[in-house]
Amino acid sequence: MVATTLLQAAGESGHSDENVLIPPLGELLIGTLSFGLLVAFFFWKVYPQIKRAYAERTEAIEGNLARAQHAQREAQELLTSYRAQLADAQTEAARIRDDAREQGGRILAELRSQAGAEVAEIKARGEAQLAAERAQIVAQLRREVGDIALELATKIVGHELERDDRQRQLVDDFIAGLEHPGEPAVPAPAGPGG
């Protein structure tokens, strides 16, 4: 539509030497003044708002970046702190394990010592009891063997030995001969009739 209007204006003027591309001076002044007013209005009203919105946006982005960097620093410090605490906890756990092993070893050594003492005590009591029973059995056997030997000697000799010391001596000699079979038996004194 503008091109049509320009062609009509060129046809009405009838001047063939005029340049269609150069506008008349009045229109050029009105156009320039209108453009200047538009630019002035833009810098007076629109540009400050754009600049303020840009500044707010920049400030918000920079604030977010600063907050993000601050949060990242705090997270890094917290991570370092957690790692230090974890290392401390691992060290403490290792120390507790070592203490538990050491204490377990001491308890085991104490239990072994107590068990050894109890075994030694039971063994000593058993040996003492065995020795007492052995002595009792030996004494009982001596009496029984003495009685049997005396009865046998009485039957062999044909009469009862008269003296008690002599009987005891004979029994003791007989038992001594049984205890030590390799030694020669002490000859019994000859009694009457023999």
Side-chain angles (χ1 to χ4, degrees), residues 40-55:
F41 178 77
F42 175 78
F43 278 106
W44 179 51
K45 287 287 186 182
V46 176
Y47 180 71
Q49 289 180 358
I50 291 174
K51 190 174 181 180
R52 186 177 20 183
Y54 178 76

Side-chain angles (χ1 to χ4, degrees), residues 96-134:
I96 289 171
R97 278 193 307 269
D98 291 343
D99 288 348
R101 279 192 203 111
E102 183 180 321
Q103 189 175 13
R106 280 194 308 254
I107 289 171
L108 187 60
E110 288 175 9
L111 289 176
R112 284 183 181 161
S113 173
Q114 286 176 356
E118 288 177 7
V119 166
E121 182 181 337
I122 290 170
K123 187 176 178 182
R125 277 193 310 229
E127 287 175 357
Q129 185 178 0
L130 189 61
E133 288 177 3
R134 182 177 181 272

Side-chain angles (χ1 to χ4, degrees), residues 1 3 23 48 55 74 91 98-99 102 104 108 111 124 134 144 154 164-165 173:
M1 185 157 152
E74 285 180 352
T91 303
D98 291 343
D99 288 348
E102 183 180 321
L108 187 60
L111 289 176
R134 182 177 181 272
E144 288 178 9
T154 303
D164 199 24
D165 315 347
D173 289 344

